[in-house]
Amino acid sequence: MVETHKVESINELNKKLPELEHRNFRDDDFWKSIPAWSQVTREEFGDHLWQQKNSIRKIDQVKKVLGDLATPELMADMEDGQRKTPMNIRITPYIFSLIDWKNAWDDPLRKQFLPLGSQFLPEHPQHMSDSLSEDEDSPVSMLTHRYPDKVLFLPTTLCPVYCSYCTRSRIIGGSTESVDKSSYGANQKKWDEVFDYLRKSPLVEDVVISGGDSFMLTAAQLKYIGESLLKIPHIRRIRYATKGIAIFPMKITSDNAWFEALKDVHKYGLSLGKQVVVHTHFSCPKEITHWSQLAMEKLFRAGIIVRNQAVLQHGVNNDVSDMVLLTRQVGYLNIQPYYVYMHDMVPGCEHFRTTLREGIELEKAVRGTTAGFHTPTFVCDLPGGGGKRHVASYEYYDEENGISVWKAPYVKPGEVFTYVDPIHRLSPEAQKRWQDPETAKKMIADAIAKAKD
Ligand code: SF4
């Protein structure tokens, strides 16, 4: 008689072994815990039109859908947040219902999309609304041309969600109580001016199509932009940037016209021997569910490469185990972990920023936990337009006062750049020194002089 062994399914095995935690993807009806959506079926929830229609745009809607889960204290704090934040509210039901509303103060998703007044800290005196000097390096509207062979194209300033930590808060998502913005939607005439500029710029090989978010382009617009760029002979690579896979995977799984347009551009690129890839933006493991898995399976089977860029945020992903889990999870989904950025020095974000030292230590902890090509590079995008540099490649770091000095020999030869740590993370003595503008100026000058030595 042949003995039969019970073979555990891979899913059962994954649940038992903590080191395989990254293979477990949430697949329950989590949205049903939100009172207004308790009767919403899986089919409805998976429909991109339902997600768009039910996206939260106002505090009143938060109250309405949460019912008794919305405590008066939380709502008052959120209203206060709206008076202070540079970003409007927009959040998909998918992300909204992944928030743990019983512990909303600490929830990493709530922190990213629904700011509370109580969390804001005074701005660092060195903060800048255009921290990366994108406007300064813009030869034509909607385009930043800093690196010789690469450009950043911003065809729209609209997104399916608005992130509190957005580096382009100066233009994204419309004016708020605290900031006037010149946000814009799709405008083909303006795009044609960008394509004209690129035709006359033979060194450019690489175009990042960002914004804003490519999910906000219609299928026809996505195709028009992609094909127009690929037709330019010297352009070899285009990358559509979208946070969408992380916060709105239903667009990939159910908006067939949009997905087919992306596939068509990808195929057209292949026919010309050119790359068409997607860059996305998962920040923390809580954003990743079975819906992300379904979206990524579809993209992967279509042969579309996806890379991830995360922003390091205090209370969201600055914990070693969260960062390792995020790296492994996105890797498992066939997304290449590409960058983790130090938070830019933009307004309304002091509570999110970490010290450079923290970025360096996280990079050390993450490296070696998985294959090297699936390990993100931790970078600091230099304020003032020096471009991205590895976190440990500073010239000098005054940790006591939180000032690091950098060079970007190829991008801006001869120039130096400074990145500063958040003041509340420094010693009381250092915090006091920053309060005096003359002392602060001298500290920065001293750090630069030491870097030059
Ligand atoms: S999706 Fe990107 S561009 Fe849009 S608000 Fe978030 S960080 Fe900013």
Side-chain angles (χ1 to χ4, degrees), residues 87-88 112-113 154 156-169 172-173 210-213 241-244 247 281 311:
M87 296 302 289
N88 273 310
Q112 292 180 77
F113 305 104
L154 308 176
T156 172
T157 58
L158 307 177
C159 305
V161 292
Y162 292 128
C163 315
S164 302
Y165 57 89
C166 182
T167 195
R168 295 193 191 107
S169 59
I172 300 292
S210 186
D213 194 301
T242 173
K243 188 166 174 62
I247 49 80
H281 188 176
V311 176

Side-chain angles (χ1 to χ4, degrees), residues 51-70:
Q51 288 283 330
Q52 261 169 324
K53 193 166 156 230
N54 289 282
S55 285
I56 307 286
R57 309 282 311 262
K58 300 259 179 274
I59 294 285
D60 285 351
Q61 285 171 279
V62 176
K63 273 191 222 163
K64 213 164 144 191
V65 298
L66 282 182
D68 290 345
L69 287 174

Side-chain angles (χ1 to χ4, degrees), residues 148-301:
D149 64 345
K150 185 193 109 174
V151 294
L152 169 69
F153 174 32
L154 308 176
T156 172
T157 58
L158 307 177
C159 305
V161 292
Y162 292 128
C163 315
S164 302
Y165 57 89
C166 182
T167 195
R168 295 193 191 107
S169 59
R170 70 191 187 281
I171 49 170
I172 300 292
S175 300
T176 64
E177 278 190 45
S178 60
V179 191
D180 270 337
K181 303 182 195 179
S182 313
S183 301
Y184 52 84
N187 181 337
Q188 192 173 319
K189 194 162 163 276
K190 291 264 181 204
W191 300 344
D192 289 342
E193 288 167 18
V194 169
F195 304 145
D196 277 346
Y197 171 85
L198 291 175
R199 271 181 216 107
K200 293 177 201 142
S201 306
L203 294 185
V204 176
E205 295 180 358
D206 196 327
V207 183
V208 180
I209 305 151
S210 186
D213 194 301
S214 297
F215 263 33
M216 298 308 276
L217 300 169
T218 63
Q221 290 165 346
L222 187 90
K223 215 166 159 182
Y224 179 74
I225 289 175
E227 290 178 354
S228 302
L229 290 170
L230 291 169
K231 276 179 193 157
I232 301 174
H234 48 270
I235 288 178
R236 304 282 301 155
R237 301 173 292 279
I238 65 171
R239 328 177 207 171
Y240 288 106
T242 173
K243 188 166 174 62
I245 306 169
I247 49 80
F248 185 16
M250 296 79 185
K251 177 93 174 165
I252 301 287
T253 53
S254 71
D255 187 347
N256 291 333
W258 194 91
F259 185 69
E260 286 305 314
L262 179 64
K263 262 172 60 181
D264 286 350
V265 178
H266 179 251
K267 266 193 217 146
Y268 184 54
L270 283 182
S271 74
L272 298 171
K274 300 184 178 190
Q275 288 181 33
V276 177
V277 306
V278 172
H279 278 199
T280 195
H281 188 176
F282 284 92
S283 296
C284 68
K286 214 174 168 189
E287 288 157 32
I288 306 175
T289 66
H290 185 58
W291 297 90
S292 334
Q293 203 174 15
L294 293 175
M296 273 313 303
E297 270 172 15
K298 206 166 161 184
L299 284 156
F300 187 72
R301 284 182 205 285

